Amino acid sequence: MRDLGTGFRYLLRGQRWVARHGKQYGFGLIPGLITLVLYVAALVGLALWGEDFVSWSTPFADDWSSPWQGLFRGFLTAVLFALGLLLSVITFTAVTLLIGQPFYENLSEKVDRDVSPDGTAPESGLPLWRELWISGRDSLRIVLRAALWGVLLFALGFIPVVGQTAVPVIGVFVTGFFLTEELTAVALQRRRVELRDRLAVLRSRKSLIWGFGAPLAAAFLVPFVAVFLMPGAVAGATLMARELMGRRRRRRGTGKAPPRSGTGPSTPARPAFEDEARSGPKRGSGAAGPGTGPQGTPPRRRVPTNPPSPPPRPSKSPAPAR
C-alpha cells in the first residue's frame, strides 16, 4: 500500500513539474494532439463503415431471418467498435511516444537535469535514427503484448457478474502497467537499459508501478484527457525511473544511500576516502600522532616475520705454544 501511494505521488510530481515549466508543457502537447487526430479519424471511420465490414465478413448470415440477422450483426458491430476503443486506449501512449520521441526525449532530459544534484543527465550516446529504431521496435513489442491482454480481458468481460465487476478493475491495472512501461522507456532508454531489463526492474516494484499507472489509465478513459496529461506523465515517469535505477545500483553494491520513500532520487554516496577525511582518522589507525596508538597508548612494536640472523661470533684462535 505504501508503494501505491508513492507511485501516485510521482504522477502528481510530474504534473507539478510541467506546470512550473510552461514551455516544456506546450511542446509536450504537440505529439498528443497529432495522435489524437489520427485516432479520432480511425474511430470515426470504424463507426461509419464498421457495419459494412461486419456484413462483408459474415456472409453466412445473409439468409437469416429478419430479427436475428440484424441483432447478430449489430452486436458484432458494437463489439468491433468497443474493441477498437479499448485498443486505442492501450496503444495511445505507445504511438504518442513514437511520434513525439524527440519532444519527450528533450522533456525527460530537462527533468533529469533539474533534479540532479550536479545538473547533469544520462545520455545514450546513440544517433537519433538509432534511438528511433529502438523506440519503435520496443513500442511494437509492447503494443502486441498489450493487444493480447486487451483481447483476453474483452473476452472475459462477457462472463456474468465477474465480467462487469472484476474484469474492468483488472483491465485498469493491466493497462496502467503497460502505460508505465512505455513512459519509463523514455528515461531508461537514455540509460541504455534494454527492454528485458526494464521489465525486470518494473516487475520488481509492481505496487509502485500500479500506483503510478492505474490512476493514469483510468484518467485516459476520459476523452482528450490523455493529451493534456502526457507531458506530466513523462516527467513523473522520469522521476520514478531515477528511483528504480538507484535501487538497482544499490542492490549491485554501489554503496549509495537509500532514498526516502516518495522523495525521489538520492544523492550519490561520497567515496570512502572523502568520508575518512571528513570524520578524521579512525581508531587504531596510528594517525593520531607520532609514537601513539589508539586513545594515546604507546604503539606496539612490530615483530618482523623473518628476523635477520645474528652475525657470527669470531672464533677464538688457540694460544701460541711457548
Side-chain angles (χ1 to χ4, degrees):
M1 295 299 294
R2 184 178 181 181
D3 276 350
L4 287 174
T6 303
F8 184 67
R9 284 194 293 272
Y10 274 114
L11 180 60
L12 296 180
R13 286 181 59 191
Q15 301 300 328
R16 287 197 297 266
W17 192 93
V18 295
R20 295 194 305 267
H21 300 78
K23 184 178 180 180
Q24 298 298 323
Y25 179 71
F27 278 113
L29 290 177
I30 297 175
L33 291 173
I34 297 175
T35 309
L36 179 64
V37 171
L38 296 177
Y39 271 67
V40 167
L43 291 175
V44 168
L46 188 61
L48 293 177
W49 294 289
E51 185 175 358
D52 296 337
F53 175 78
V54 170
S55 300
W56 171 80
S57 59
T58 56
F60 56 88
D62 291 339
D63 299 332
W64 290 11
S65 57
S66 176
W68 302 112
Q69 183 192 68
L71 290 175
F72 176 72
R73 287 180 172 173
F75 172 76
L76 290 182
T77 303
V79 168
L80 180 64
F81 185 81
L83 182 60
L85 185 62
L86 177 62
L87 292 179
S88 66
V89 172
I90 295 176
T91 60
F92 182 87
T93 304
V95 176
T96 304
L97 291 175
L98 183 60
I99 295 176
Q101 174 72 17
F103 296 91
Y104 296 131
E105 181 75 21
N106 181 265
L107 173 62
S108 177
E109 185 177 347
K110 291 291 179 60
V111 174
D112 265 325
R113 294 184 184 278
D114 185 55
V115 300
S116 178
D118 53 1
T120 60
E123 296 181 0
S124 64
L126 299 175
L128 179 60
W129 70 268
R130 180 66 177 172
E131 291 184 352
L132 291 175
W133 164 254
I134 295 176
S135 178
R137 180 196 63 190
D138 293 346
S139 296
L140 180 60
R141 294 176 180 175
I142 295 173
V143 166
L144 291 177
R145 292 171 55 245
L148 292 176
W149 272 97
V151 172
L152 176 61
L153 293 174
F154 184 80
L156 293 177
F158 292 98
I159 301 177
V161 182
V162 177
Q164 292 74 41
T165 55
V167 172
V169 177
I170 296 175
V172 169
F173 279 90
V174 171
T175 305
F177 184 87
F178 284 117
L179 288 177
T180 309
E181 182 180 348
E182 295 160 3
L183 291 168
T184 53
V186 179
L188 295 179
Q189 184 177 328
R190 283 191 293 107
R191 291 163 168 83
R192 304 294 293 271
V193 182
E194 296 294 334
L195 178 60
R196 181 178 300 178
D197 294 332
R198 293 204 302 263
L199 289 174
V201 171
L202 296 180
R203 287 168 180 166
S204 65
R205 301 288 302 279
K206 288 183 180 179
S207 297
L208 180 70
I209 302 308
W210 286 333
F212 181 90
L216 191 63
F220 277 14
L221 294 175
V222 181
F224 308 111
V225 170
V227 177
F228 299 101
L229 292 183
M230 274 296 294
V234 173
T238 302
L239 296 174
M240 188 169 60
R242 291 176 62 88
E243 179 190 345
L244 292 173
M245 294 306 298
R247 287 179 176 268
R248 187 189 186 195
R249 286 191 296 265
R250 287 193 299 274
R251 288 179 180 178
R252 292 184 175 182
T254 57
K256 291 194 173 186
R260 298 178 182 177
S261 176
T263 58
S266 61
T267 57
R270 295 191 300 270
F273 63 84
E274 184 179 345
D275 290 336
E276 184 175 350
R278 290 174 178 268
S279 59
K282 299 180 181 179
R283 286 185 65 182
S285 63
T292 59
Q295 299 181 352
T297 59
R300 296 180 180 180
R301 180 176 296 176
R302 297 181 59 186
V303 180
T305 56
N306 296 320
S309 59
R313 296 180 180 181
S315 61
K316 295 182 180 181
S317 58
R322 292 182 181 179

